[in-house]
């Protein structure tokens, strides 16, 4: 394959990812259809499968952009609070996660809507990008729980992520019945700030309101 | 309406709920269709709407049974560990929740699959049944966090439920790629047992393995 063919393939990959990203962010993963994707890209349906293994491959490419955007959001939030303690960093990251989920809801949901079991076929680069995001959570945990073995740090990072994700998801799922976002923030803080800190502070000293991070 | 009509209506309600429950537990909420429900119950489609407001009403009736079954599972687990501390009670309840979700996965998922915004039309009796389940979580929290205002206890109960739910859901969603249930249990324990206890124990003293509850 020569370099002009490579360039054409790259251009088609980018075009298809652009279109799929726009479609998913507007109407969700279920709205993504190969035929419409091909029409919008001005190619045949078969051409999609020349540059992606399958439609899931297109979704990986879109989610990869969402990972990058989420990572930037979290890093920007952390950068704006340079003196935060490790525990406060967890809250800052969670708030950034909540705000990202609220502002990019369909793209964010798409991260979790890959068919059950498809993780067996997840490409290594995709897993690496996901693990890089988990590493943001592990770093402050390693500081807070310096005695915990690395295996437990990894598990705790995933557990805390799942916890915050659960709060955000159940909160947003019920948004029309009026659970306001500040209440979701407060729920996250109640969980994260009641985690024991190394000094072993009591629950009450350890459950501040918004003011503590303002 | 005379009592024999009432009895017929009750019988039809029960029959429709039985059939819908079986259908949902076998194939999930999306498989529930009014026409098939009517055929299986030997009634007209219109007759469904004589005894339920709509198909969502049928799902409320099925979910109500799931609530009852979940409540029994949790109470049975608590009853088997009479000397548990408040913090251990949270772990026992979470384990019971995980085991319930694993064993009754489609019925459990159905609890969370009502259309977005439908909570505006949730009947009071349904909300009461849900709140009775949350009350199981609030009780030990009130003991652990005796200084926290009741409003925060309620919010923390929902936050912890959402946390555990998030861990269970993300765990089960990925089950085909081999996240074993014991690892989900450990994740839940890492979160719940690292919550500060009133005495303010440190994270490390406070993060036991299975042995501590065995």
């Amino acid at each position: 394959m020569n370099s002009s063919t490579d360039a054409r393939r790259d251009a088609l990959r980018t075009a298809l990812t652009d279109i799929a990203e726009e479609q998913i962010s507007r109407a969700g993963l279920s709205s993504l259809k190969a035929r419409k994707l091909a029409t919008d890209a001005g190619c045949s349906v078969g051409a999609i499968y020349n540059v992606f293994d399958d439609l899931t491959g297109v979704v990986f490419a879109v989610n990869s952009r969402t990972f990058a955007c989420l990572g930037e959001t979290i890093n920007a939030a952390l950068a704006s609070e340079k003196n935060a303690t490790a525990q406060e960093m967890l809250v800052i990251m969670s708030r950034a996660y909540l705000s990202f989920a609220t502002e990019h809801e369909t793209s964010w949901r798409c991260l979790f809507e890959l068919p059950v079991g498809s993780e067996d076929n997840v490409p290594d680069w995709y897993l690496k990008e996901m693990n890089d995001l988990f590493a943001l959570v592990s770093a402050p945990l390693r500081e807070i729980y310096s005695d915990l073995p690395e295996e437990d740090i990894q598990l705790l990072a995933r557990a805390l992520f799942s916890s915050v994700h659960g709060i955000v998801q159940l909160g947003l799922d019920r948004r029309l019945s009026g659970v306001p976002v500040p209440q979701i923030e407060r729920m996250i803080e109640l969980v994260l700030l009641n985690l024991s800190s190394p000094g072993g502070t009591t629950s009450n000293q350890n459950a501040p309101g918004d003011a503590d991070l303002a």
Side-chain angles (χ1 to χ4, degrees), chain A residues 175-207:
Chain A
R175 74 195 180 288
L176 294 187
S177 66
V179 176
V181 165
Q183 204 177 30
I184 303 178
E185 286 193 355
R186 178 90 183 111
M187 284 167 75
I188 292 171
E189 284 171 17
L190 278 169
V191 169
L192 289 182
L193 295 177
N194 277 304
L195 286 172
S196 310
S197 56
T201 54
T202 69
S203 61
N204 209 40
Q205 291 168 328
N206 218 4

Side-chain angles (χ1 to χ4, degrees), chain A residues 77-158:
Chain A
L78 287 174
S80 72
E81 302 260 10
K82 288 209 181 298
N83 297 322
T85 65
Q87 208 150 14
E88 286 165 348
M89 285 171 72
L90 293 176
V91 175
I92 291 164
M93 283 191 275
S94 299
R95 282 190 182 172
Y97 185 75
L98 170 60
S99 121
F100 182 86
T102 311
E103 284 164 31
H104 308 276
E105 188 170 334
T106 52
S107 304
W108 164 73
R109 286 192 186 274
C110 182
L111 297 178
F112 303 95
E113 283 173 354
L114 288 172
V116 165
S118 71
E119 288 76 7
D120 291 340
N121 303 313
V122 172
D124 286 344
W125 64 264
Y126 188 85
L127 289 176
K128 185 186 174 312
E129 288 184 6
M130 208 168 69
N131 286 330
D132 287 349
L133 288 175
F134 278 120
L136 292 174
V137 186
S138 312
L141 288 179
R142 220 169 274 125
E143 195 176 319
I144 299 173
Y145 301 103
S146 52
D147 293 339
L148 219 54
E150 182 60 24
E151 189 189 359
D152 276 355
I153 292 287
Q154 297 295 331
L155 213 52
L156 185 56
R158 277 161 194 272

Side-chain angles (χ1 to χ4, degrees), chain A residues 5-44:
Chain A
T5 311
D6 279 352
R8 270 202 305 277
R9 283 173 55 95
D10 283 350
L12 181 58
R13 263 186 89 92
T14 303
L16 289 168
T17 308
D18 287 345
I19 296 164
E21 184 182 24
E22 196 277 327
Q23 179 74 30
I24 286 174
S25 71
R26 190 161 40 81
L29 177 58
S30 62
S31 73
L32 190 70
K33 306 288 175 209
R35 189 167 301 277
K36 179 159 185 346
L37 193 57
T39 306
D40 291 356
C43 71
S44 68

